[in-house]
Amino acid sequence: VVFLNALARDIHLPFSLVEQFCRSCTNPSEVVCKLFPSFSSFVVDRCLLLMHARSISDVTHVLGNVSKLMFFNVENPTGHYRLDLSNPADYSVAESLVLLDSWESALKQGHGKVDVSQKGNWSQVRNPIFCDHPFKAPIITEWLLPEAGKLDFDYSSSRRPPRGAVVLDAETFQR
């Protein structure tokens, strides 16, 4: 498990190698849960990886572990996040949001936008809590993500829809 956690956080693996891991172990759903972040940008590989779950309970287990990453939308990251950093998929979402926060902050400053952050630090992160305690670091981008712990925060992206974007009607939005 420690080996799989290390691989998930640091290396993008070819699908064929992960497939071999799944075939050679007694619990392929655990391999899928741990290595799912290795394919965070490869939708086809992620779908193929899900096929290694052997039963409905395995699929439920995998989806429960990877759902935050699976449904994370970097194009529209605004929302509340409750992440377990010991879960590789949640850790991947946290890494992406820290990087995105840094990028959005730099863009706003570079374009002379007004700082509307909660703490006057240009961050899009609001109300950060780590392990049930208020966040101590002045800004999340200056914090080294630990390998474990619960991280809660709101992310309010400054990115807006492009001109001409279609507005959803109320009925469609409610679905």
Side-chain angles (χ1 to χ4, degrees), residues 26-30 32-33 49-64:
T26 57
N27 189 358
S29 66
E30 197 59 35
V32 172
C33 288
L49 199 57
L50 287 173
M51 291 174 48
H52 285 282
R54 294 180 177 160
S55 66
I56 295 297
S57 63
D58 284 352
V59 171
T60 303
H61 172 72
V62 169
L63 291 177

Side-chain angles (χ1 to χ4, degrees), residues 19-139:
E19 195 169 37
Q20 285 292 13
F21 283 144
C22 288
R23 286 184 183 150
S24 64
C25 74
T26 57
N27 189 358
S29 66
E30 197 59 35
V31 172
V32 172
C33 288
K34 299 295 184 190
L35 297 182
F36 196 81
S38 297
F39 303 107
S40 60
S41 59
F42 306 111
V43 175
V44 172
D45 287 343
R46 286 193 288 178
C47 290
L48 289 172
L49 199 57
L50 287 173
M51 291 174 48
H52 285 282
R54 294 180 177 160
S55 66
I56 295 297
S57 63
D58 284 352
V59 171
T60 303
H61 172 72
V62 169
L63 291 177
N65 276 278
V66 304
S67 63
K68 291 174 187 161
L69 177 58
M70 189 175 224
F71 299 114
F72 176 65
N73 182 354
V74 74
E75 297 293 326
N76 185 13
T78 296
H80 179 76
Y81 293 88
R82 180 169 285 141
L83 304 170
D84 176 0
L85 298 179
S86 65
N87 176 328
D90 284 12
Y91 190 91
S92 181
V93 171
E95 274 186 321
S96 295
L97 287 165
V98 167
L99 181 62
L100 190 58
D101 184 50
S102 178
W103 178 72
E104 283 197 60
S105 297
L107 274 180
K108 286 194 313 190
Q109 290 176 53
H111 288 110
K113 303 284 184 181
V114 175
D115 179 12
V116 293
S117 63
Q118 183 180 24
K119 297 181 179 180
N121 57 11
W122 296 93
S123 179
Q124 283 59 237
V125 173
R126 296 175 177 271
N127 311 313
I129 300 207
F130 180 66
C131 292
D132 298 322
H133 298 298
F135 200 69
K136 301 291 183 196
I139 187 168

Side-chain angles (χ1 to χ4, degrees), residues 136-153:
K136 301 291 183 196
I139 187 168
I140 200 165
T141 56
E142 294 177 2
W143 186 53
L144 181 61
L145 281 174
E147 291 185 20
K150 308 287 187 211
L151 177 62
D152 288 282
F153 61 91

